[in-house]
């Protein structure tokens, strides 16, 4: 039985609002009829909820007045674009209005000199790619839904795709956003804004914090040479082991996609070409470079690794037509399954890459125990897995089994240190699962962030965060324990919270001017909080305590023939590096962190997975926070094989200024202004 939600907006008020909306967007653009609203009561997930009306837009300038009207009248509203969301994000759970942004599809500018495209939110991802191709450029995020899904929807979900392994997900490719906030006010957020990174909150916020009106996207020149390889394997497990082998070689392919026989056969149905009997899985590998020699060397090493990992045969696409065919197998797997059965549930967990084989084993057992059929497709390089379960939602008993199996798959991902969503979001479908992943303290921070932007819960209400605070316990997860020093610091913060004592957080002290610290602040040093907690050579991640000196991390990695993309001239501690926002690329290195709140509560964010869109992106928001939000206890960073050190880094703008939204966020984290209180003092917090 699909999820259904009740109509809560009073019909008698509808006519007046309809008229006012029509004054802004035009009579023909406001729909309130039974059939018309029914068409907007679903997206690509199983959630259903009928809105009271739908507003279409002909110009982005209409968004703010519409939002203000609805906000002032306390009417719920949800932004929507192509409606390909797989977690119920694009339906309005309170029977409010759907704001359909799909017609806002202008590409305003393609600036190849500075690598920027400026677009409206309804621009379809593939339409942008086709336009960019004319200039020899591309936009990295390439979700499998790119033929229809929009840039606004991609931003709201922080969409990923095959190319994201090398070039990053949506949030890694955003430079600036124009946003309409829930009250109808307009703001611009960019990577160069002063203060901590507020822009980080919008990708993966699932339309709950603001509506993207215009976006400035990073675009890249299409690499000169691209090679596409399909490796056949006797089992999906072998294909996944080959993925770990390739990454361990220090090769970062453009894409590394795995799929099982069921998915391949579905995709090839009706086509001339068949796969050999013994092929149980395909691994699609794409390598790119501007230097042919480098590319060919990588191709040879990739081939050797594939053979070592039991590849049965390796095909390299000879021309663009063959490349397109290989990608067709991957991209057709979902539509083909959708043709085979009335419904497909696309699950979307992620685990640390080396744990994919364990996850796979457990997922197969779960599917078997619930007697379900699924095609298995993986963004294997990212550890992001999609079991695509086919079923018929009219069969209530089968649908119940599908839901239960989905929950068990997510629990498996959590148990392995992973997450409940690598790219499709939480929406309504996974709200309950948020309790399994996060502590109640962390969920409370997410709730307060939502309330700071939208106190009346009007914009895309009741998404992403569990509605009832029913204390469903967090599951046991493969994650490191806390050191004695970290526990001491948490206890000390609890104590200071009770006494109301103010704290000045000090790492190595290199960035703290002692003359700045007011007399009523007691210093809390992270010295001694300096252990390397986990160095995972297969996953290419390091987790270390925040007081560790960057130089010590560099030395350790050098000894292990590894490196980290931190500017050579940067010193101080890891915590200080994040708090003071030293280089723009840091945001793409950060995978996880443990934070201590002013009251001594522990907040654990992210981990060793490459992708995680489950909560609000508080992790990246910590960049530039200068100890005003929380004490950073530990961090998990991406690392790489030595010899491929990145050299060009961008220095962002001045981090030491804060605006009114920063102050609202400060209230969420540290309402009594106990942490580094002087830094935002001129704004009179506390
Ligand atoms: C076949 C298929 C394949 C898919 N493959 C992938 C994949 O490879 N990778 C991936 O990441 N996802 C994938 N998805 C999921 C989905 O396509 C993405 O989440 C996509 O980003 C949604 O875009 P949309 O335009 O359809 O947005 P919608 O579904 O209309 O909306 C998605 C969410 O964004 C919000 N929203 C929409 N526009 C705005 C805006 N302007 N401002 C603020 N909020 C907004 C909505 O409220 C909603 O919460 C796939 C889905 C399908 C059906």
């Amino acid at each position: 039985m699909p999820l259904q939600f009740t109509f809560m907006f009073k019909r008698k008020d509808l006519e007046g609002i309809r008229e006012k909306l029509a004054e802004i967007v035009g009579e023909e653009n406001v729909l309130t009829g039974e059939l018309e609203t029914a068409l907007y009561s679903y997206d690509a997930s199983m959630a259903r909820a009928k809105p009271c009306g739908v507003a279409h837009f002909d110009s982005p300038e209409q968004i703010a007045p519409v939002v203000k009207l609805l906000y002032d009248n306390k009417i719920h509203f949800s932004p929507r674009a192509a409606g390909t969301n797989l977690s119920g994000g694009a339906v309005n759970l309170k029977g409010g209005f759907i704001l359909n942004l799909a017609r806002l599809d202008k590409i305003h500018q393609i600036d190849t000199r500075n690598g920027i495209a400026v677009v409206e939110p309804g621009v379809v991802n593939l339409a942008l790619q086709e336009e960019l191709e004319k200039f020899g450029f591309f936009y990295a995020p390439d979700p499998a839904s790119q033929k229809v899904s929009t840039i606004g929807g991609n931003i709201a979900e922080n969409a990923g795709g095959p190319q994201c392994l090398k070039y990053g997900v949506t949030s890694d490719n955003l430079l600036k956003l124009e946003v309409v906030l829930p009250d109808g006010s307009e703001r611009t957020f960019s990577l160069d804004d002063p203060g901590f990174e507020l822009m980080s909150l919008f990708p993966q916020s699932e339309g709950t914090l603001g509506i993207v009106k215009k976006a400035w996207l990073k675009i890249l020149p299409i690499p000169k040479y691209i090679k596409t390889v399909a490796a056949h394997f006797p089992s999906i497990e072998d294909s996944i082991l080959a993925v770990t082998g390739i990454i361990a070689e220090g090769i970062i392919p453009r894409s590394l996609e795995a799929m099982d026989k069921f998915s391949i056969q579905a995709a090839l149905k009706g086509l001339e070409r068949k796969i050999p009997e013994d092929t149980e899985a395909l691994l699609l590998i794409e390598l790119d470079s501007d230097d042919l020699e480098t590319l060919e060397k990588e191709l040879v090493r990739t081939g050797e690794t594939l053979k070592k990992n039991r590849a049965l045969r390796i095909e390299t696409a000879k021309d663009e037509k063959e490349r397109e065919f290989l990608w067709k197998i991957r991209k057709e797997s979902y539509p083909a399954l959708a043709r085979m059965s009335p419904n497909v549930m696309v699950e979307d967990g992620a685990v640390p890459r080396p744990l994919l084989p364990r996850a796979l084993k457990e997922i197969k057992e779960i599917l078997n125990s619930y007697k379900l059929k699924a095609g298995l497709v993986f963004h294997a390089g990212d550890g992001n897995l999609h079991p695509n379960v086919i079923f018929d939602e009219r069969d209530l008993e089968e649908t119940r089994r599908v839901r239960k199996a989905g929950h068990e798959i997510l629990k498996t991902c959590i148990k392995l240190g992973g997450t409940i969503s690598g790219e499709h979001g939480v929406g309504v479908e996974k709200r309950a699962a948020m309790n399994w992943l996060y502590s109640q303290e962390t969920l409370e921070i997410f709730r307060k962030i939502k309330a700071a932007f939208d106190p009346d819960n009007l914009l895309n209400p009741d998404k992403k965060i569990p509605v009832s605070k029913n204390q469903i316990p967090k599951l046991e997860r493969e994650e490191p324990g806390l050191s004695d020093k970290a526990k001491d610091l948490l206890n000390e913060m609890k104590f200071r919270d009770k006494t109301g004592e103010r704290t000045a957080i000090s790492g190595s002290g290199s960035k703290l001017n002692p003359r700045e610290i007011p007399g009523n602040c007691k210093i809390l040093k992270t010295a001694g909080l300096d252990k390397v907690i986990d160095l995972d050579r297969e996953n290419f991640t390091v987790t270390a305590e925040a007081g560790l000196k960057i130089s010590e991390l560099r030395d350790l990695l050098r000894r292990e023939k590894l490196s980290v993309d931190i500017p050579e001239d940067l010193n101080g501690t890891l915590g200080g590096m994040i708090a003071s926002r030293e280089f723009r690329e840091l945001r793409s290195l950060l995978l996880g962190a443990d934070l201590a709140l002013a009251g001594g509560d522990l907040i654990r964010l992210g981990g060793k997975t490459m992708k995680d869109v489950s909560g609000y992106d508080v992790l990246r928001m910590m960049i530039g926070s200068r100890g005003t939000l929380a004490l950073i206890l530990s961090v998990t960073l991406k690392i790489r094989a030595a010899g491929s050190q990145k050299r060009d880094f961008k220095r962002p703008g001045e981090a030491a200024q804060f605006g009114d939204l920063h102050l609202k966020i400060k209230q969420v984290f540290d309402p009594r202004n106990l942490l580094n209180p002087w830094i935002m003092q001129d704004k009179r917090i506390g």
Side-chain angles (χ1 to χ4, degrees), residues 79 81-86 89 144-145 150 153-154 156-157 159-160 206-207 212 334 423:
T84 64
N85 182 264
L86 286 162
S145 57
T150 64
N154 294 171
E157 296 292 323
E206 304 185 26
V212 176
Y334 171 87
E423 55 185 24

Side-chain angles (χ1 to χ4, degrees), residues 43-44 63 78-86 88-91 99 101 121-122 142-146 148-162 170 205-208 210-213 330-331 334-335 346 379 384 386 422-425 427 460 463 611:
D43 55 17
I63 303 175
S78 296
R80 178 190 168 102
T84 64
N85 182 264
L86 286 162
V91 295
L99 307 187
L101 305 155
D142 59 341
S145 57
Q146 69 181 161
V148 280
S149 74
T150 64
I151 298 299
N154 294 171
I155 293 170
E157 296 292 323
N158 198 6
T170 301
S205 65
E206 304 185 26
T208 61
I211 298 183
V212 176
K213 179 183 166 192
R330 167 64 182 88
K331 294 200 170 166
Y334 171 87
V346 183
H379 299 303
N384 187 190
H386 296 316
E423 55 185 24
H424 296 166
N460 214 9
K463 302 285 170 62
K611 283 155 101 181

Side-chain angles (χ1 to χ4, degrees), residues 33-54:
E34 272 299 303
L35 183 63
E36 292 153 333
T37 49
L39 289 174
Y40 290 86
S41 61
Y42 60 90
D43 55 17
S45 72
M46 286 194 266
R48 307 280 185 273
K50 199 153 179 291
C52 65
V54 180

Side-chain angles (χ1 to χ4, degrees), residues 390-656:
I390 55 172
F391 70 107
D392 183 346
E393 72 177 4
R394 291 165 301 184
D395 179 342
L396 299 187
E397 193 275 330
E398 187 183 38
T399 306
R400 198 177 45 81
R401 277 187 281 129
V402 170
R403 283 199 178 281
K404 282 196 163 172
H407 284 174
E408 286 197 25
I409 289 170
L410 296 182
K411 284 181 176 173
T412 298
C413 293
I414 295 172
K415 208 176 61 190
L416 295 175
T419 181
I420 57 171
S421 180
E423 55 185 24
H424 296 166
V426 173
V428 54
E429 301 270 5
K430 292 186 181 173
R431 282 183 315 197
M434 289 287 279
N435 290 294
W436 306 330
L437 181 61
Y438 290 107
S439 66
Q440 291 301 317
E441 290 80 12
T442 312
L443 292 175
E444 207 43 37
I445 287 287
F446 293 154
R447 279 191 194 102
K448 286 181 181 164
I449 289 174
K450 166 70 175 165
F453 281 83
D454 182 14
D456 292 326
N457 190 30
L458 295 173
L459 174 58
N460 214 9
D462 296 352
K463 302 285 170 62
K464 214 167 167 67
I465 310 163
V467 181
S468 56
K469 300 181 188 178
N470 52 4
Q471 308 290 321
I472 298 173
K474 181 176 182 275
L475 294 178
E476 286 289 320
R477 193 167 179 241
E478 280 190 18
E479 57 192 357
L482 293 177
S483 68
D484 288 344
K485 177 70 189 177
K487 286 181 196 156
D488 286 349
L489 286 169
L490 283 166
N491 285 334
E492 176 66 20
M493 288 176 80
K494 267 191 192 115
F495 177 74
R496 291 189 189 188
D497 182 59
K498 275 200 191 107
T499 59
E501 193 162 31
R502 292 175 185 234
T503 291
I505 300 171
S506 168
S508 62
S510 64
K511 306 215 165 52
L512 205 62
N513 179 355
R515 273 174 300 175
E516 258 188 339
I517 303 173
N520 64 350
C521 277
K522 195 168 162 191
I523 290 186
L524 190 68
K525 278 188 176 286
T526 61
L529 189 72
D530 55 4
K531 307 281 170 300
V532 174
I533 299 169
D534 175 67
L535 177 61
D536 189 333
R537 302 185 111 275
E538 274 189 82
N539 197 39
F540 278 84
T541 51
V542 64
T543 304
E545 289 184 315
L548 184 74
K549 293 215 168 96
I550 297 169
S551 56
E552 286 172 23
L553 176 65
R554 263 197 216 105
D555 289 346
L556 167 81
L557 293 177
R558 206 168 287 135
R559 286 196 298 276
E560 298 285 332
K561 299 199 170 31
L562 295 164
S563 73
V564 61
D565 288 340
I566 297 175
E568 275 300 323
D569 58 349
L570 200 64
N571 291 311
T573 61
L574 293 177
M577 169 179 84
I578 295 165
S580 55
R581 198 167 72 146
E582 298 282 357
F583 57 107
R584 215 191 239 185
E585 294 76 3
L586 174 59
R587 59 196 326 285
S588 299
L589 275 192
L590 258 186
L591 293 175
D594 279 354
L595 309 178
L597 297 184
D601 285 331
L602 173 68
I603 302 288
R604 307 198 103 163
L605 301 166
K608 288 165 64 174
T609 45
M610 298 294 139
K611 283 155 101 181
D612 181 3
V613 300
S614 56
Y616 292 126
D617 193 354
V618 168
L619 182 61
R620 280 169 196 85
M621 194 187 65
M622 294 304 293
I623 298 174
S625 58
R626 302 194 70 214
T628 57
L629 301 181
L631 168 70
I632 302 168
L633 292 172
S634 67
V635 295
T636 300
L637 301 173
K638 279 187 204 170
I639 54 175
R640 55 160 89 210
S644 48
Q645 169 83 29
K646 186 177 161 59
R647 306 235 171 260
D648 48 327
F649 295 94
K650 288 203 174 68
R651 304 279 164 163
E654 176 53 48

